[in-house]
Amino acid sequence: MERAKTITRRRVLAAGTAGIMGAALPIAGQNADQAARPKVPADPTKVQGPLATDVGGRSPFERPRRVSFSDRRTSSLSPLQDLDGIITPSDLHFERHHGGVPAIDPRQYTLLIHGLVDRPLVFTLEDLRRFPGRSIIRFMECSGNGGRAYRREGNQTDVTPQQIDGLTSTSEWTGVPLATLFREVGASPKAKWFLAEGSDAAVMTRSIPIEKAFDDALIAYGQNGEPLRPEQGYPARLFLPGVEGNASVKWLRRIELADQPFMTREETSKYTDPLPDGTARIFSLDMDAKSLITEPSFPDQLTGPGWWEIRGLAWTGRGRITRVDISADGGRTWQPATLDDPVLPKCHTRFRLPWQWKGGEATLMSRATDETGYTQPTLDVLMAARGPSTAYHFNHIRAWKVNPDGTVKFAGGGA
Ligand SMILES: Nc1nc2c(c(=O)[nH]1)N[C@H]1C(S)=C(S)[C@@H](COP(=O)(O)O)O[C@H]1N2
Ligand SMILES: [Mo]
Protein backbone atom coordinates (compact mmCIF):
# COMPACT_ATOMS: atom_id res chain seq x y z
CA MET A 1 0.00 0.00 0.00
CA GLU A 2 2.72 2.41 1.02
CA ARG A 3 4.38 1.81 -2.36
CA ALA A 4 1.30 2.75 -4.36
CA LYS A 5 0.90 5.93 -2.33
CA THR A 6 4.50 6.99 -2.93
CA ILE A 7 4.09 6.59 -6.67
CA THR A 8 0.90 8.60 -6.60
CA ARG A 9 2.56 11.43 -4.71
CA ARG A 10 5.47 11.46 -7.11
CA ARG A 11 3.10 11.67 -10.04
CA VAL A 12 1.31 14.58 -8.44
CA LEU A 13 4.59 16.38 -7.79
CA ALA A 14 5.66 15.77 -11.37
CA ALA A 15 2.46 17.37 -12.52
CA GLY A 16 3.24 20.37 -10.34
CA THR A 17 -0.06 20.20 -8.53
CA ALA A 18 1.06 19.05 -5.09
CA GLY A 19 0.26 22.41 -3.57
CA ILE A 20 -3.24 22.47 -4.92
CA MET A 21 -3.92 18.84 -4.20
CA GLY A 22 -2.52 18.65 -0.68
CA ALA A 23 -2.46 14.98 0.35
CA ALA A 24 -1.71 12.29 -2.18
CA LEU A 25 -5.15 11.60 -3.59
CA PRO A 26 -4.86 9.15 -6.47
CA ILE A 27 -5.55 10.70 -9.86
CA ALA A 28 -6.54 7.34 -11.28
CA GLY A 29 -6.27 3.67 -10.38
CA GLN A 30 -8.12 1.23 -8.15
CA ASN A 31 -7.37 0.27 -4.58
CA ALA A 32 -5.00 -2.67 -4.90
CA ASP A 33 -6.74 -4.54 -2.06
CA GLN A 34 -9.88 -4.76 -4.16
CA ALA A 35 -8.59 -4.75 -7.75
CA ALA A 36 -7.42 -7.80 -9.63
CA ARG A 37 -3.64 -8.29 -9.34
CA PRO A 38 -1.53 -9.06 -12.44
CA LYS A 39 -1.93 -12.73 -13.35
CA VAL A 40 1.29 -14.66 -12.83
CA PRO A 41 1.47 -17.92 -14.78
CA ALA A 42 2.61 -20.95 -12.78
CA ASP A 43 5.24 -21.73 -15.43
CA PRO A 44 6.53 -18.55 -17.16
CA THR A 45 8.45 -20.64 -19.72
CA LYS A 46 5.11 -21.75 -21.18
CA VAL A 47 4.07 -18.23 -22.25
CA GLN A 48 6.81 -17.49 -24.77
CA GLY A 49 5.42 -15.42 -27.66
CA PRO A 50 6.41 -15.22 -31.33
CA LEU A 51 10.11 -15.05 -32.20
CA ALA A 52 12.05 -12.08 -33.58
CA THR A 53 10.88 -10.65 -36.91
CA ASP A 54 12.78 -8.79 -39.64
CA VAL A 55 10.30 -5.91 -39.80
CA GLY A 56 8.18 -5.00 -36.80
CA GLY A 57 4.57 -3.94 -36.70
CA ARG A 58 2.19 -2.28 -34.28
CA SER A 59 0.46 -4.12 -31.51
CA PRO A 60 -2.76 -5.51 -32.98
CA PHE A 61 -4.54 -3.58 -30.22
CA GLU A 62 -3.40 -0.22 -31.68
CA ARG A 63 -5.01 0.85 -34.91
CA PRO A 64 -4.13 4.49 -35.66
CA ARG A 65 -5.22 5.40 -39.17
CA ARG A 66 -4.85 8.27 -41.59
CA VAL A 67 -8.23 9.40 -42.92
CA SER A 68 -9.15 10.78 -46.31
CA PHE A 69 -12.02 13.17 -46.94
CA SER A 70 -12.56 12.73 -50.61
CA ASP A 71 -13.14 9.56 -52.62
CA ARG A 72 -10.35 10.76 -54.90
CA ARG A 73 -7.95 10.33 -51.98
CA THR A 74 -5.85 13.36 -52.89
CA SER A 75 -4.95 13.81 -49.23
CA SER A 76 -4.95 11.95 -45.93
CA LEU A 77 -4.70 13.33 -42.41
CA SER A 78 -2.53 12.34 -39.43
CA PRO A 79 -4.38 10.95 -36.38
CA LEU A 80 -3.14 13.72 -34.05
CA GLN A 81 -5.32 12.56 -31.15
CA ASP A 82 -3.66 9.12 -31.17
CA LEU A 83 -0.07 10.38 -31.02
CA ASP A 84 2.25 11.20 -28.11
CA GLY A 85 5.34 13.37 -28.26
CA ILE A 86 6.24 15.30 -31.38
CA ILE A 87 7.35 12.80 -34.04
CA THR A 88 4.74 11.53 -36.48
CA PRO A 89 5.35 7.86 -37.33
CA SER A 90 6.25 7.85 -41.03
CA ASP A 91 3.30 5.69 -42.04
CA LEU A 92 0.97 8.19 -40.38
CA HIS A 93 2.53 11.37 -41.85
CA PHE A 94 -0.21 13.29 -43.65
CA GLU A 95 -0.21 13.16 -47.46
CA ARG A 96 -1.25 15.68 -50.02
CA HIS A 97 -0.78 15.00 -53.69
CA HIS A 98 -2.32 16.61 -56.73
CA GLY A 99 -1.41 13.89 -59.22
CA GLY A 100 -1.02 10.66 -57.28
CA VAL A 101 2.15 9.07 -55.92
CA PRO A 102 4.63 8.31 -58.73
CA ALA A 103 6.75 5.15 -58.51
CA ILE A 104 10.35 6.25 -59.04
CA ASP A 105 13.28 3.86 -59.36
CA PRO A 106 16.05 5.48 -57.28
CA ARG A 107 18.63 4.29 -59.84
CA GLN A 108 16.85 6.31 -62.54
CA TYR A 109 16.33 9.40 -60.36
CA THR A 110 18.00 12.67 -61.34
CA LEU A 111 17.80 16.30 -60.21
CA LEU A 112 18.73 19.05 -62.69
CA ILE A 113 19.82 22.44 -61.37
CA HIS A 114 20.14 25.14 -64.04
CA GLY A 115 19.18 28.70 -65.00
CA LEU A 116 21.22 31.56 -63.52
CA VAL A 117 24.18 29.34 -62.57
CA ASP A 118 27.79 28.95 -63.74
CA ARG A 119 27.60 25.17 -64.20
CA PRO A 120 24.21 23.51 -64.80
CA LEU A 121 24.49 20.04 -63.19
CA VAL A 122 22.46 16.84 -62.99
CA PHE A 123 22.66 14.96 -59.70
CA THR A 124 21.84 11.30 -59.14
CA LEU A 125 20.57 10.11 -55.77
CA GLU A 126 24.05 8.77 -55.08
CA ASP A 127 25.49 12.20 -55.82
CA LEU A 128 23.06 13.81 -53.38
CA ARG A 129 23.97 11.31 -50.65
CA ARG A 130 27.67 11.96 -51.16
CA PHE A 131 27.49 15.62 -50.09
CA PRO A 132 27.78 16.48 -46.38
CA GLY A 133 24.33 15.73 -44.96
CA ARG A 134 22.13 17.17 -42.26
CA SER A 135 19.25 15.89 -40.13
CA ILE A 136 16.63 18.25 -38.73
CA ILE A 137 13.36 17.66 -36.88
CA ARG A 138 10.75 20.00 -38.35
CA PHE A 139 7.00 20.15 -38.89
CA MET A 140 5.31 20.36 -42.25
CA GLU A 141 1.81 21.71 -42.55
CA CYS A 142 -0.45 22.20 -45.55
CA SER A 143 -1.56 25.84 -45.53
CA GLY A 144 -5.09 24.61 -46.32
CA ASN A 145 -5.07 22.85 -42.93
CA GLY A 146 -7.84 23.92 -40.56
CA GLY A 147 -10.20 25.37 -43.17
CA ARG A 148 -12.94 23.35 -41.55
CA ALA A 149 -12.35 25.17 -38.24
CA TYR A 150 -12.33 28.56 -39.97
CA ARG A 151 -15.47 28.16 -42.03
CA ARG A 152 -17.34 26.13 -39.40
CA GLU A 153 -19.17 24.20 -42.11
CA GLY A 154 -22.51 23.14 -40.65
CA ASN A 155 -21.19 24.08 -37.21
CA GLN A 156 -19.84 20.57 -36.86
CA THR A 157 -19.11 19.52 -33.29
CA ASP A 158 -18.37 15.83 -33.78
CA VAL A 159 -14.97 16.24 -35.41
CA THR A 160 -11.60 14.99 -34.20
CA PRO A 161 -8.27 16.88 -34.10
CA GLN A 162 -7.36 14.73 -37.10
CA GLN A 163 -10.39 15.88 -39.08
CA ILE A 164 -9.84 19.52 -38.15
CA ASP A 165 -6.06 19.85 -38.35
CA GLY A 166 -4.57 16.55 -39.49
CA LEU A 167 -2.64 18.10 -42.40
CA THR A 168 0.36 18.71 -40.15
CA SER A 169 3.10 16.26 -39.16
CA THR A 170 6.64 16.25 -37.81
CA SER A 171 9.54 14.12 -39.01
CA GLU A 172 13.27 14.00 -38.74
CA TRP A 173 14.33 14.93 -42.28
CA THR A 174 17.76 14.04 -43.61
CA GLY A 175 19.29 15.43 -46.75
CA VAL A 176 21.76 17.83 -48.29
CA PRO A 177 21.41 21.57 -47.68
CA LEU A 178 20.25 23.26 -50.89
CA ALA A 179 22.91 25.93 -50.21
CA THR A 180 25.59 23.27 -50.78
CA LEU A 181 24.15 22.38 -54.19
CA PHE A 182 23.74 26.03 -55.13
CA ARG A 183 27.42 26.59 -54.36
CA GLU A 184 28.28 23.51 -56.42
CA VAL A 185 26.48 24.86 -59.50
CA GLY A 186 27.71 28.41 -58.84
CA ALA A 187 24.45 30.30 -58.27
CA SER A 188 24.63 33.74 -59.88
CA PRO A 189 24.26 36.80 -57.64
CA LYS A 190 21.53 37.84 -60.10
CA ALA A 191 19.39 34.86 -59.05
CA LYS A 192 16.63 36.03 -56.71
CA TRP A 193 14.18 33.13 -56.99
CA PHE A 194 14.29 29.45 -57.79
CA LEU A 195 11.67 27.20 -59.29
CA ALA A 196 11.13 23.71 -57.88
CA GLU A 197 9.45 21.18 -60.16
CA GLY A 198 8.08 17.75 -59.28
CA SER A 199 7.93 14.73 -61.55
CA ASP A 200 4.42 13.61 -60.55
CA ALA A 201 1.43 13.80 -62.92
CA ALA A 202 0.59 17.21 -61.37
CA VAL A 203 4.08 18.56 -62.21
CA MET A 204 3.92 20.67 -59.07
CA THR A 205 5.91 23.89 -59.54
CA ARG A 206 6.58 26.67 -57.05
CA SER A 207 8.86 29.74 -56.94
CA ILE A 208 10.85 30.26 -53.74
CA PRO A 209 12.93 33.31 -52.74
CA ILE A 210 16.64 32.44 -53.07
CA GLU A 211 17.33 33.43 -49.44
CA LYS A 212 15.49 30.32 -48.31
CA ALA A 213 18.00 28.17 -50.19
CA PHE A 214 20.88 29.79 -48.32
CA ASP A 215 19.00 29.66 -45.02
CA ASP A 216 17.66 26.19 -44.20
CA ALA A 217 16.20 24.52 -47.32
CA LEU A 218 17.05 20.85 -47.66
CA ILE A 219 16.93 18.33 -50.46
CA ALA A 220 15.62 15.53 -48.28
CA TYR A 221 16.07 11.83 -48.95
CA GLY A 222 15.56 10.54 -45.39
CA GLN A 223 12.60 10.55 -43.05
CA ASN A 224 12.75 9.28 -39.47
CA GLY A 225 15.88 7.27 -40.09
CA GLU A 226 14.93 5.59 -43.36
CA PRO A 227 14.45 6.65 -46.98
CA LEU A 228 11.48 8.96 -47.61
CA ARG A 229 8.14 7.22 -47.93
CA PRO A 230 6.79 7.23 -51.51
CA GLU A 231 3.92 9.49 -50.33
CA GLN A 232 6.48 11.99 -48.97
CA GLY A 233 8.39 12.29 -52.25
CA TYR A 234 10.67 9.25 -52.59
CA PRO A 235 13.46 9.29 -53.47
CA ALA A 236 14.03 13.06 -52.92
CA ARG A 237 12.01 16.16 -52.21
CA LEU A 238 12.54 19.80 -51.44
CA PHE A 239 11.95 20.49 -47.75
CA LEU A 240 11.41 24.08 -46.66
CA PRO A 241 11.24 24.34 -42.85
CA GLY A 242 8.42 26.55 -41.56
CA VAL A 243 6.97 27.14 -45.03
CA GLU A 244 3.53 26.11 -46.30
CA GLY A 245 3.71 22.45 -47.28
CA ASN A 246 2.83 23.05 -50.92
CA ALA A 247 6.21 24.62 -51.67
CA SER A 248 8.10 21.55 -50.41
CA VAL A 249 7.93 19.96 -53.84
CA LYS A 250 8.06 16.16 -53.76
CA TRP A 251 9.62 13.81 -56.32
CA LEU A 252 11.81 16.80 -57.17
CA ARG A 253 13.33 16.63 -60.67
CA ARG A 254 14.32 20.20 -61.57
CA ILE A 255 15.38 23.49 -59.98
CA GLU A 256 15.78 26.62 -62.08
CA LEU A 257 17.32 29.84 -60.78
CA ALA A 258 15.97 33.16 -62.09
CA ASP A 259 15.82 36.87 -61.29
CA GLN A 260 12.05 36.82 -60.69
CA PRO A 261 9.29 34.45 -59.63
CA PHE A 262 7.80 32.21 -62.29
CA MET A 263 4.15 32.95 -61.37
CA THR A 264 2.98 29.35 -61.68
CA ARG A 265 -0.62 28.24 -61.28
CA GLU A 266 0.06 27.05 -57.73
CA GLU A 267 1.19 30.50 -56.57
CA THR A 268 -1.29 32.69 -58.46
CA SER A 269 -4.62 30.90 -58.88
CA LYS A 270 -3.86 28.73 -55.82
CA TYR A 271 -1.93 29.46 -52.62
CA THR A 272 -2.75 33.15 -52.83
CA ASP A 273 -5.16 34.69 -50.34
CA PRO A 274 -7.79 37.16 -51.59
CA LEU A 275 -8.43 39.81 -48.92
CA PRO A 276 -11.67 41.67 -48.11
CA ASP A 277 -10.31 44.96 -49.58
CA GLY A 278 -9.87 43.46 -53.05
CA THR A 279 -6.10 42.94 -52.79
CA ALA A 280 -4.45 39.57 -52.22
CA ARG A 281 -1.64 38.10 -50.14
CA ILE A 282 0.70 36.34 -52.53
CA PHE A 283 3.79 34.27 -51.63
CA SER A 284 2.46 34.03 -48.08
CA LEU A 285 4.92 31.25 -47.44
CA ASP A 286 5.59 31.37 -43.69
CA MET A 287 3.35 29.37 -41.40
CA ASP A 288 2.08 31.44 -38.46
CA ALA A 289 2.10 30.22 -34.86
CA LYS A 290 -0.69 27.81 -34.06
CA SER A 291 -1.71 25.29 -31.43
CA LEU A 292 -4.30 22.60 -30.94
CA ILE A 293 -5.46 20.65 -27.91
CA THR A 294 -5.41 16.97 -28.88
CA GLU A 295 -6.58 15.62 -25.49
CA PRO A 296 -9.28 15.88 -24.33
CA SER A 297 -11.01 16.21 -27.66
CA PHE A 298 -13.84 14.61 -29.60
CA PRO A 299 -14.67 11.69 -29.31
CA ASP A 300 -13.26 11.44 -25.74
CA GLN A 301 -15.64 11.14 -22.84
CA LEU A 302 -14.18 12.06 -19.46
CA THR A 303 -15.12 9.35 -16.99
CA GLY A 304 -15.45 11.64 -14.00
CA PRO A 305 -14.44 14.92 -12.35
CA GLY A 306 -10.91 15.33 -11.06
CA TRP A 307 -7.48 15.78 -12.56
CA TRP A 308 -6.99 15.45 -16.31
CA GLU A 309 -3.96 16.43 -18.33
CA ILE A 310 -4.69 18.80 -21.19
CA ARG A 311 -2.27 17.89 -24.01
CA GLY A 312 -1.62 19.27 -27.43
CA LEU A 313 0.76 20.53 -30.08
CA ALA A 314 2.01 24.03 -30.86
CA TRP A 315 4.22 25.11 -33.74
CA THR A 316 5.35 28.10 -35.73
CA GLY A 317 7.18 28.63 -39.00
CA ARG A 318 9.09 31.56 -37.49
CA GLY A 319 11.33 29.87 -34.94
CA ARG A 320 10.57 28.42 -31.53
CA ILE A 321 7.36 28.34 -29.56
CA THR A 322 8.03 30.32 -26.37
CA ARG A 323 4.75 29.73 -24.54
CA VAL A 324 1.36 28.14 -24.76
CA ASP A 325 -1.48 29.37 -22.57
CA ILE A 326 -4.52 27.31 -21.75
CA SER A 327 -7.99 28.51 -20.85
CA ALA A 328 -10.64 26.25 -19.38
CA ASP A 329 -13.26 29.01 -19.24
CA GLY A 330 -13.66 30.01 -22.86
CA GLY A 331 -10.82 32.53 -22.87
CA ARG A 332 -11.58 34.54 -19.71
CA THR A 333 -8.55 33.32 -17.78
CA TRP A 334 -5.33 31.72 -19.04
CA GLN A 335 -2.58 29.61 -17.48
CA PRO A 336 0.81 28.76 -18.99
CA ALA A 337 1.29 25.14 -20.06
CA THR A 338 4.51 23.17 -19.70
CA LEU A 339 6.47 22.65 -22.92
CA ASP A 340 8.12 19.22 -23.25
CA ASP A 341 11.74 18.95 -24.31
CA PRO A 342 12.85 19.39 -27.01
CA VAL A 343 11.46 22.77 -28.05
CA LEU A 344 12.90 23.00 -31.55
CA PRO A 345 12.56 25.78 -34.11
CA LYS A 346 9.86 25.24 -36.77
CA CYS A 347 8.80 22.05 -35.06
CA HIS A 348 5.79 20.61 -33.31
CA THR A 349 6.14 21.29 -29.58
CA ARG A 350 4.23 19.20 -27.05
CA PHE A 351 2.44 21.11 -24.29
CA ARG A 352 0.71 19.87 -21.16
CA LEU A 353 -1.26 21.28 -18.27
CA PRO A 354 -2.97 19.47 -15.39
CA TRP A 355 -6.58 20.57 -15.20
CA GLN A 356 -9.14 19.88 -12.54
CA TRP A 357 -12.51 19.22 -14.10
CA LYS A 358 -15.26 20.13 -11.65
CA GLY A 359 -17.84 18.17 -13.58
CA GLY A 360 -19.68 21.10 -15.18
CA GLU A 361 -19.41 22.76 -18.55
CA ALA A 362 -15.95 23.94 -19.61
CA THR A 363 -14.50 25.44 -22.79
CA LEU A 364 -10.86 24.49 -23.37
CA MET A 365 -8.65 26.66 -25.56
CA SER A 366 -4.93 26.88 -26.30
CA ARG A 367 -2.99 29.93 -27.45
CA ALA A 368 0.57 29.77 -28.75
CA THR A 369 3.21 32.52 -28.76
CA ASP A 370 6.45 32.31 -30.72
CA GLU A 371 9.89 33.87 -30.35
CA THR A 372 9.00 36.79 -32.62
CA GLY A 373 6.42 37.79 -29.98
CA TYR A 374 3.52 36.84 -32.26
CA THR A 375 0.50 35.30 -30.51
CA GLN A 376 -2.11 33.08 -32.13
CA PRO A 377 -5.17 35.26 -32.90
CA THR A 378 -8.81 34.60 -32.10
CA LEU A 379 -11.10 33.53 -34.94
CA ASP A 380 -12.76 36.97 -34.94
CA VAL A 381 -9.45 38.79 -35.30
CA LEU A 382 -8.26 36.51 -38.10
CA MET A 383 -11.60 36.69 -39.90
CA ALA A 384 -11.57 40.51 -39.73
CA ALA A 385 -8.07 40.59 -41.24
CA ARG A 386 -8.49 37.95 -43.93
CA GLY A 387 -12.20 37.84 -44.75
CA PRO A 388 -14.47 34.85 -45.18
CA SER A 389 -13.21 33.68 -48.58
CA THR A 390 -9.54 33.18 -47.80
CA ALA A 391 -8.51 29.58 -48.44
CA TYR A 392 -5.19 29.24 -46.57
CA HIS A 393 -3.46 29.92 -43.24
CA PHE A 394 -6.12 29.22 -40.62
CA ASN A 395 -4.09 29.50 -37.43
CA HIS A 396 -6.71 30.97 -35.08
CA ILE A 397 -7.39 29.69 -31.57
CA ARG A 398 -9.52 26.54 -31.41
CA ALA A 399 -11.93 25.49 -28.65
CA TRP A 400 -13.33 22.25 -27.23
CA LYS A 401 -16.45 22.14 -25.10
CA VAL A 402 -16.56 19.68 -22.21
CA ASN A 403 -20.16 18.89 -21.28
CA PRO A 404 -21.39 17.88 -17.80
CA ASP A 405 -21.72 14.28 -19.04
CA GLY A 406 -18.00 14.28 -19.91
CA THR A 407 -18.46 14.32 -23.68
CA VAL A 408 -16.09 16.62 -25.56
CA LYS A 409 -17.20 18.49 -28.69
CA PHE A 410 -15.42 20.79 -31.12
CA ALA A 411 -16.46 24.39 -30.50
CA GLY A 412 -14.80 26.26 -33.37
CA GLY A 413 -13.19 29.51 -32.32
CA GLY A 414 -14.89 29.29 -28.95
CA ALA A 415 -17.28 32.22 -29.14
N1 LIG B 1 5.37 17.08 -56.63
C1 LIG B 1 4.46 17.42 -55.71
N2 LIG B 1 4.90 18.00 -54.59
C2 LIG B 1 4.00 18.36 -53.63
C3 LIG B 1 2.61 18.17 -53.81
C4 LIG B 1 2.19 17.55 -55.01
O1 LIG B 1 0.99 17.34 -55.27
N3 LIG B 1 3.14 17.19 -55.94
N4 LIG B 1 1.74 18.59 -52.84
C5 LIG B 1 2.22 19.65 -51.96
C6 LIG B 1 1.34 19.94 -50.85
S1 LIG B 1 -0.08 20.81 -51.18
C7 LIG B 1 1.71 19.66 -49.55
S2 LIG B 1 0.79 20.19 -48.25
C8 LIG B 1 2.91 18.85 -49.25
C9 LIG B 1 2.54 17.64 -48.44
O2 LIG B 1 3.65 16.84 -48.17
P1 LIG B 1 3.43 15.36 -47.62
O3 LIG B 1 2.49 14.66 -48.57
O4 LIG B 1 4.77 14.76 -47.54
O5 LIG B 1 2.79 15.49 -46.27
O6 LIG B 1 3.57 18.42 -50.43
C10 LIG B 1 3.63 19.39 -51.44
N5 LIG B 1 4.49 18.92 -52.50
MO1 LIG C 1 -0.96 21.56 -49.17
Side-chain angles (χ1 to χ4, degrees):
M1 271 319 68
E2 192 43 46
R3 201 177 136 71
K5 247 188 216 160
T6 313
I7 289 168
T8 305
R9 187 173 296 129
R10 216 179 277 146
R11 262 223 259 169
V12 169
L13 285 171
T17 54
I20 314 166
M21 303 214 14
L25 290 173
I27 291 174
Q30 283 173 272
N31 186 319
D33 289 337
Q34 280 126 47
R37 298 298 184 99
K39 288 197 183 72
V40 179
D43 180 358
T45 64
K46 293 271 157 33
V47 294
Q48 158 125 29
L51 301 177
T53 48
D54 292 347
V55 178
R58 287 199 174 87
S59 158
F61 298 103
E62 302 298 331
R63 295 179 56 80
R65 287 286 181 272
R66 296 194 283 222
V67 296
S68 233
F69 280 136
S70 74
D71 295 341
R72 286 160 53 236
R73 297 192 78 89
T74 53
S75 66
S76 74
L77 299 89
S78 288
L80 301 176
Q81 66 282 350
D82 299 331
L83 305 178
D84 291 316
I86 58 172
I87 303 283
T88 312
S90 299
D91 61 351
L92 298 173
H93 192 288
F94 86 88
E95 313 160 73
R96 175 74 178 101
H97 26 82
H98 298 68
V101 176
I104 299 173
D105 179 341
R107 290 161 305 186
Q108 307 298 322
Y109 174 82
T110 56
L111 169 63
L112 164 67
I113 305 186
H114 66 151
L116 291 178
V117 301
D118 297 337
R119 294 170 294 279
L121 290 174
V122 172
F123 301 99
T124 64
L125 190 62
E126 245 179 52
D127 292 333
L128 294 181
R129 285 186 166 274
R130 194 166 150 190
F131 286 102
R134 205 177 161 215
S135 291
I136 48 175
I137 304 176
R138 300 289 183 269
F139 80 89
M140 158 133 60
E141 183 182 20
C142 176
S143 53
N145 199 27
R148 197 174 256 259
Y150 190 73
R151 292 183 291 269
R152 289 304 318 272
E153 285 139 0
N155 268 346
Q156 287 167 307
T157 56
D158 293 0
V159 281
T160 63
Q162 176 173 31
Q163 290 169 318
I164 300 161
D165 279 314
L167 293 173
T168 187
S169 298
T170 282
S171 289
E172 182 192 57
W173 305 95
T174 302
V176 48
L178 187 53
T180 304
L181 300 181
F182 276 14
R183 288 190 193 102
E184 195 74 2
V185 296
S188 158
K190 285 195 213 99
K192 299 287 176 257
W193 293 77
F194 68 92
L195 180 83
E197 179 184 270
S199 59
D200 51 333
V203 194
M204 176 61 64
T205 42
R206 287 295 303 260
S207 312
I208 323 291
I210 201 97
E211 297 79 42
K212 189 66 181 169
F214 290 108
D215 179 7
D216 57 359
L218 205 65
I219 304 299
Y221 45 71
Q223 179 185 6
N224 297 331
E226 59 177 341
L228 288 182
R229 295 267 162 159
E231 305 94 300
Q232 263 69 58
Y234 181 85
R237 80 179 303 166
L238 178 62
F239 182 72
L240 303 174
V243 163
E244 67 178 357
N246 185 265
S248 284
V249 172
K250 302 189 277 190
W251 315 292
L252 184 68
R253 74 173 173 207
R254 189 171 73 90
I255 289 179
E256 184 176 345
L257 286 73
D259 57 2
Q260 54 185 344
F262 290 75
M263 307 308 271
T264 71
R265 171 183 179 272
E266 299 294 325
E267 57 210 16
T268 50
S269 159
K270 306 290 173 193
Y271 298 96
T272 272
D273 319 324
L275 297 172
D277 66 2
T279 64
R281 294 203 319 151
I282 187 167
F283 296 111
S284 46
L285 290 166
D286 289 343
M287 298 303 290
D288 300 309
K290 177 171 166 182
S291 67
L292 175 75
I293 292 172
T294 55
E295 295 177 62
S297 64
F298 179 80
D300 291 339
Q301 177 155 18
L302 304 185
T303 48
W307 288 98
W308 294 90
E309 187 172 63
I310 297 173
R311 302 171 181 150
L313 292 169
W315 62 98
T316 168
R318 296 204 170 84
R320 285 184 173 77
I321 288 291
T322 47
R323 64 183 289 154
V324 176
D325 294 292
I326 305 286
S327 176
D329 55 16
R332 275 193 298 280
T333 61
W334 297 87
Q335 268 193 79
T338 306
L339 306 182
D340 273 8
D341 270 350
V343 177
L344 298 170
K346 306 175 186 179
C347 190
H348 281 176
T349 300
R350 177 63 62 175
F351 66 81
R352 314 170 173 278
L353 184 73
W355 166 60
Q356 191 172 33
W357 181 44
K358 302 264 163 51
E361 234 177 53
T363 300
L364 307 180
M365 298 163 115
S366 62
R367 185 179 69 189
T369 299
D370 70 20
E371 63 181 81
T372 69
Y374 173 92
T375 294
Q376 202 182 345
T378 62
L379 178 57
D380 291 348
V381 166
L382 192 66
M383 187 69 83
R386 304 275 171 80
S389 57
T390 191
Y392 306 100
H393 298 285
F394 308 109
N395 69 312
H396 61 276
I397 292 170
R398 282 111 167 94
W400 298 96
K401 189 159 162 227
V402 180
N403 295 304
D405 65 358
T407 55
V408 185
K409 304 283 184 176
F410 183 58

